[in-house]
Amino acid sequence: MTALALGLVGLLGLVIGSFLNVVIHRVPRGESLVSPPSRCPACETPIRPWHNVPVVSWLVLRGRCAACGKRISVRYPLVEAGTAALFVLLALRLSALDQAPALPAFLYFGAVGLALSLIDLDVRRLPDRLVLPSYPILAILFAGAAAWRGDWWALLRALLGAAALFAFYFAVAFIHPAGMGFGDVKLAGLVGGVLAWLSWPTLAIGAFAGFLLGAIVGVALIAAGRAGRKTAVPFGPFMVAGALLAVFVAEPIADWYAGLLGLR
């Protein structure tokens, strides 16, 4: 991709990241995303447009509200900058994989995955208000990519992957309901569809990576005395992180493993 295209993708990420801050704050509370306009969480003074520029405004105001002077969490600019960085990295990776028509779907998944991860960390749930509409949205975006590329098998593979990972998580939740919430099951369908669009190995590696990351963090928390063996840890962030990691590393891992088995 050209530098101009990457710059535009990065700017889009900043704007989307600013909106994600609203989503993360309001969706768990059942509030509207459009009304009232953005306001200070402390004094509830509406934020002026020139004080609402992603990242820049927080830095200029030194992390404080322009009206009351109360501190504004550093998470706001981090979400904005992180979304921009994620968008640029996904654009580079999808371009390298010759999957540019599917970029809108992956950007959407990255954005909603980030919002769901932070909400899960905050309130220990994955709201249907975000998860369920993502199914038709991703289906439409992938259908458009399939039509553009003339690759309908990729779309069918995504649908099968979504159903397969949903069924697997459903079975885990049914067998061990204390260890898996149904919100994770519904998120699994999204993860499965996104990963299977690329390939079956990407789906397998991404699904495994989610459990591996969760296990590593769980052991680290227990070792640090921050959690016990029965402490509930939100699993959604690990599912999303494993999926995004697989987008970048699944192909070289699959190639290495195939070479190890003498299949290449």
Side-chain angles (χ1 to χ4, degrees):
M1 297 187 72
T2 66
L4 176 60
L6 287 175
L8 292 174
V9 170
L11 287 174
L12 175 63
L14 286 173
V15 173
I16 296 297
S18 181
F19 177 67
L20 290 184
N21 280 319
V22 177
V23 171
I24 294 164
H25 179 76
R26 296 189 183 187
V27 165
R29 295 167 173 79
E31 298 174 354
S32 169
L33 297 179
V34 296
S35 180
S38 296
R39 59 194 187 275
C40 171
C43 67
E44 298 192 347
T45 299
I47 298 176
R48 299 179 179 90
W50 53 89
H51 290 157
N52 206 23
V53 179
V55 179
V56 175
S57 292
W58 190 91
L59 293 173
V60 170
L61 294 171
R62 299 181 180 180
R64 295 182 180 275
C65 171
C68 68
K70 294 285 187 179
R71 284 198 173 276
I72 296 175
S73 173
V74 71
R75 190 167 85 171
Y76 287 92
L78 287 180
V79 169
E80 294 163 352
T83 305
L86 177 60
F87 274 30
V88 169
L89 290 173
L90 285 172
L92 287 169
R93 184 58 179 160
L94 270 291
S95 178
L97 293 174
D98 193 27
Q99 289 282 356
L103 180 59
F106 280 84
L107 294 183
Y108 176 84
F109 175 77
V112 77
L114 179 58
L116 286 169
S117 296
L118 291 174
I119 290 173
D120 202 12
L121 289 172
D122 286 344
V123 300
R124 305 297 175 89
R125 61 187 177 90
L126 298 164
D128 286 348
R129 187 177 172 187
L130 292 181
V131 176
L132 297 184
S134 294
Y135 277 91
I137 291 172
L138 284 172
I140 292 170
L141 292 175
F142 278 131
W148 184 276
R149 291 170 54 88
D151 187 2
W152 296 104
W153 164 238
L155 180 61
L156 177 59
R157 188 174 59 232
L159 294 173
L160 293 173
L165 200 60
F166 182 96
F168 173 75
Y169 270 75
F170 184 87
V172 172
F174 181 79
I175 296 170
H176 185 48
M180 181 73 65
F182 200 67
D184 299 325
V185 177
K186 288 177 279 190
L187 176 59
L190 300 180
V191 171
V194 168
L195 295 180
W197 168 270
L198 294 177
S199 68
W200 291 120
T202 303
L203 171 60
I205 291 170
F208 175 76
F211 285 100
L212 179 62
L213 291 173
I216 291 172
V217 172
V219 170
L221 290 174
I222 293 173
R226 300 285 299 274
R229 295 183 62 183
K230 295 185 177 181
T231 301
V233 177
F235 193 56
F238 301 115
M239 296 172 66
V240 173
L244 292 173
L245 183 63
V247 172
F248 295 93
V249 305
E251 185 180 49
I253 289 176
D255 289 343
W256 168 80
Y257 190 66
L260 193 67
L261 296 177
L263 300 177
R264 292 179 63 86

